[in-house]
Amino acid sequence: QMDVRRSMAEQLFDYHKEGVVALSMSELVPSYMRALEALLATDMTSQQECIGQTRSGRQLTLAISLSHLRTSEGGLVASVIRDISLQKAAQEQMRMAKERAESLAKARSQFVAMISHEIRTPMNGVLGMADLLSETRLNQQQSGYVEAIRESGRSLVAILNDVLDFSKLEQGHIRLRHEPFQLQEVVN
């Protein structure tokens, strides 16, 4: 069983058998002694993350589980060390990807709000001109065209207002007000 452990330690820390045996745990994992002292002070089990270093100087993120076992001859400390460097790197990549996605979503929302606002402004100008045009002498067909422009414009402005509200909601810029209302009026 000892040979298996040494073999795993050789693989983990990149040492030959003689090199691993000659080193103390605190040389391989500098914070190991602090973890051990904390365990012995509480007389419990302990799980910690520590930084270890391979023979070539590459740093490893290690999960160390320590257990203080009482035996008839005294105490024994069992430790299990796992390399979690790849898991930590994956977690960091996921965190960075999440931040990028949140940043892109915020930028998209701001862009949509800006474009909606920029479209709404000239559309209000079109509606204003349609209103002015409707007050002039028009035949029935022309009046129908002006009314179609006004209805389409109002629909487009309503859609743009909804998009702006949605963008504000996404960005957390909408504040709700408590106001009394007549339920039947709202339902109708």
Side-chain angles (χ1 to χ4, degrees):
Q1 199 171 23
M2 186 61 94
D3 288 336
V4 171
R5 279 192 230 142
R6 285 185 184 150
S7 174
M8 293 304 287
E10 287 173 10
Q11 291 175 24
L12 184 62
F13 295 105
D14 193 29
Y15 280 93
H16 297 293
K17 184 184 278 190
E18 296 76 24
V20 172
V21 173
L23 294 171
S24 69
M25 276 304 292
S26 59
E27 290 175 287
L28 295 171
V29 183
S31 57
Y32 183 81
M33 292 311 290
R34 282 195 308 268
L36 186 58
E37 288 168 3
L39 170 74
L40 295 175
T42 60
D43 200 31
M44 299 171 64
T45 60
S46 171
Q47 292 186 358
Q48 297 185 18
E49 283 184 16
C50 297
I51 300 297
Q53 191 166 328
T54 65
R55 181 171 54 101
S56 63
R58 184 173 59 92
Q59 286 195 337
L60 304 170
T61 304
L62 304 171
I64 299 180
S65 300
L66 298 170
S67 293
H68 189 196
L69 308 171
R70 298 232 181 254
T71 64
S72 57
E73 289 90 36
L76 175 69
V77 173
S79 62
V80 175
I81 300 173
R82 292 181 296 118
D83 181 6
I84 58 171
S85 301
L86 293 176
Q87 290 169 320
K88 285 300 201 178
Q91 286 174 347
E92 180 62 17
Q93 286 178 343
M94 285 175 46
R95 185 192 62 76
M96 289 172 53
K98 180 181 179 241
E99 285 177 3
R100 275 194 306 272
E102 287 171 349
S103 177
L104 287 172
K106 184 178 179 181
R108 178 193 51 83
S109 184
Q110 288 172 341
F111 176 77
V112 166
M114 183 197 62
I115 291 298
S116 297
H117 182 72
E118 292 300 319
I119 293 171
R120 188 174 62 168
T121 301
M123 182 51 66
N124 283 326
V126 168
L127 287 172
M129 287 292 141
D131 285 342
L132 289 175
L133 185 59
S134 70
E135 294 173 8
T136 63
R137 292 180 146 222
L138 301 172
N139 64 35
Q140 191 174 3
Q141 186 178 20
Q142 290 169 331
S143 291
Y145 292 156
V146 170
E147 190 55 35
I149 291 170
R150 289 168 67 183
E151 284 302 312
S152 296
R154 285 187 198 121
S155 295
L156 185 55
V157 168
I159 291 169
L160 292 171
N161 287 337
D162 289 346
V163 169
L164 279 170
D165 287 345
F166 182 72
S167 293
K168 288 177 185 176
L169 185 64
E170 249 185 353
Q171 293 176 16
H173 293 217
I174 284 192
R175 301 217 190 318
L176 299 177
R177 291 188 317 238
H178 294 280
E179 290 186 6
F181 65 94
Q182 294 298 320
L183 183 60
Q184 184 148 2
E185 216 176 280
V186 172
V187 171
N188 286 338

